[in-house]
């Protein structure tokens, strides 16, 4: 389950008790903006209730959550010159001012972030006891009765909160991908039409240019269909050569993008 509260809204005690009772573990996050080493970043104040879900470590490029160190997004790690390997993180630090003076916080891990932008940091609650107000979100794991907990949680949270099931998030994501691919399909069709028109124009211009040669061939007794077959063979050869060159380039681009 995933829940999002209105901006600056606190988590009601009844909702907290409900999650402690019916969830295997859950993560409470408060997001706000701050500056780290002079750079504007998105900071997420993270409180883990129960065990840290092992599935979340799959998004880590290096390191692992240890409950005391910061998780830094890959774009920000590159900006700060942090290492992106497990071995290099042993001595990595990020300097953060938590309102109690600057502190060199150990970097526990680097996680992948595909949104780009300013970068982000997940900071354990112990490192910032009194964070500024921000957007509060909940991630709930290990739930036996998802539908029942979703309904009860929606009733316990403040007005304006959103409760989403994993299935709903997946369906929404797939819908966005489908829209993107439909647009891509239209662009592919247009590109194919433009390429076909261009090829037809080039072959037509070539045929007009060779009319004198075809006349000489007819005079020499060459059959009428011979020039047509020669032009057809030339067109097929050009198409085959283009396919041979385009396939490896397309596969290479797909590997890079994926």
């Amino acid at each position: 389950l995933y829940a999002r509260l209105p901006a600056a809204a606190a988590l009601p005690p009844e909702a907290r008790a409900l999650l402690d009772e019916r969830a295997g573990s859950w993560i409470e996050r408060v997001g706000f903006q701050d500056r780290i080493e002079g750079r504007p970043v998105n900071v997420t104040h993270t409180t883990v209730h129960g065990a840290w879900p092992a599935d979340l470590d799959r998004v880590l490029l290096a390191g692992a959550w240890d409950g005391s160190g910061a998780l830094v997004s890959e774009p920000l790690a590159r900006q700060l010159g942090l290492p992106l390997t497990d071995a290099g993180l042993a001595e990595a630090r990020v300097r953060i001012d938590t309102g109690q003076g600057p502190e060199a916080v150990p970097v526990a891990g680097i996680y992948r972030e595909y949104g780009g932008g300013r970068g982000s940091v997940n900071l354990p609650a112990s490192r910032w006891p009194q964070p500024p107000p921000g957007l509060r979100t909940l991630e709930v794991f290990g739930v036996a009765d998802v539908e029942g907990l979703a309904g009860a949680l929606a009733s316990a949270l403040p007005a304006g909160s959103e409760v989403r099931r994993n299935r709903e998030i997946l369906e929404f994501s797939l819908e966005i991908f489908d829209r993107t691919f439909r647009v891509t399909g239209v662009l592919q069709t247009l590109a194919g039409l433009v390429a076909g028109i261009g090829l037809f124009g080039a072959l037509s211009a070539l045929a007009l240019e060779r009319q004198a040669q075809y006349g000489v061939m007819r005079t020499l007794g060459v059959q009428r269909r011979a020039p047509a077959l020669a032009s057809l063979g030339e067109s097929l050869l050009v198409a085959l050569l283009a396919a041979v060159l385009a396939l490896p380039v397309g596969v290479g681009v797909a590997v890079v993008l994926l």
Side-chain angles (χ1 to χ4, degrees), residues 10-258:
L11 183 63
E14 55 270 23
R16 190 180 299 274
L18 181 67
L19 291 171
D20 288 337
E21 177 185 356
R22 301 175 63 176
S25 61
W26 58 287
I27 300 176
E28 181 180 0
R29 303 183 191 269
V30 179
F32 53 91
Q33 296 182 356
D34 200 77
R35 300 185 72 87
I36 293 180
E37 299 187 10
R39 294 175 172 83
V41 298
N42 297 319
V43 179
T44 301
H45 180 270
T46 305
T47 305
V48 180
H49 301 267
W52 173 262
D55 289 343
L56 294 185
D57 286 335
R58 296 179 182 177
V59 303
L60 295 181
L61 186 64
W65 172 267
D66 59 6
S68 61
L71 296 181
V72 182
S73 68
E74 181 184 358
L76 181 59
R78 293 184 183 278
Q79 294 177 29
L80 298 177
L82 297 175
L84 302 179
T85 60
D86 292 338
L89 287 178
E91 303 298 329
R93 298 290 186 274
V94 58
R95 196 167 185 81
I96 302 176
D97 188 351
T98 63
Q100 301 176 345
E103 179 184 0
V105 179
V107 177
I110 307 295
Y111 63 91
R112 298 178 177 87
E113 185 179 52
Y114 302 104
R118 63 179 64 193
S120 57
V121 173
N122 278 264
L123 199 63
S126 59
R127 294 287 181 178
W128 200 322
Q130 299 296 329
L135 182 65
R136 191 179 303 271
T137 59
L138 308 173
E139 300 172 25
V140 187
F141 304 87
V143 180
D145 183 10
V146 175
E147 298 297 331
L149 180 57
L153 188 60
S155 301
L157 292 177
S161 300
E162 296 182 6
V163 178
R164 300 285 185 182
R165 300 156 183 80
N166 288 355
R167 183 185 68 257
E168 296 175 350
I169 298 175
L170 177 60
E171 291 175 352
F172 180 71
S173 302
L174 293 177
E175 182 181 352
I176 293 177
F177 275 115
D178 288 340
R179 293 177 186 174
T180 303
F181 289 134
R182 282 198 293 268
V183 173
T184 304
V186 173
L187 294 177
Q188 288 176 342
T189 302
L190 292 176
L193 289 174
V194 171
I197 294 173
L199 182 60
F200 176 78
L203 293 176
S204 298
L206 187 61
L208 291 175
E209 183 181 352
R210 292 178 177 177
Q211 278 188 339
Q213 300 176 11
Y214 294 156
V216 173
M217 295 173 64
R218 292 284 305 280
T219 303
L220 295 176
V222 176
Q223 295 182 357
R224 179 183 294 272
R225 64 179 182 178
L229 293 175
S231 297
L232 178 61
E234 184 179 18
S235 302
L236 293 176
L237 183 61
V238 170
L240 179 61
L241 181 61
V244 170
L245 294 176
L247 285 176
V249 172
V251 171
V253 171
V255 170
V256 170
L257 293 179
L258 297 178

